[in-house]
Amino acid sequence: MTDLTSRLHRRRAEILTEIDEVEIALGELRAERRERSDDDEHDPDGTPLSAQWSRLEGRRRAAAADLVAIDDALSRAEHGGYGICERCGRPIPVERLEVRPAARRCVDCASR
Ligand SMILES: [Zn+2]
């Protein structure tokens, strides 16, 4: 279980790095957007800024959701309930937790 907790912490650090990277990229894009005129937005050679923007926003949303799930798992690891399926109450196999450390349900329940 300690192994899994350190996995959660590692995953959390990765997510924070990802959020940092996305924030920096969004900042650069914002600056670039200010510099470009509306015509440049349709530059055929480059990906439109709006497309880059929505891709980054998607990454940010996904990372934020992951972070919530990891924090929730860490809190359960500390206060109890971690690794127990919230639906059927059976232990979630370690193999599953190794792949998805923030899983709240066993495979059976998750697929229902
Ligand atoms: Zn279950």
Side-chain angles (χ1 to χ4, degrees), residues 84-92 104-110 112:
I84 303 296
C85 174
E86 65 177 3
R87 188 168 177 277
C88 69
R90 284 195 295 251
I92 300 171
R104 302 180 61 104
R105 294 181 175 196
C106 67
V107 178
D108 278 356
C109 294
R112 254 166 232 176

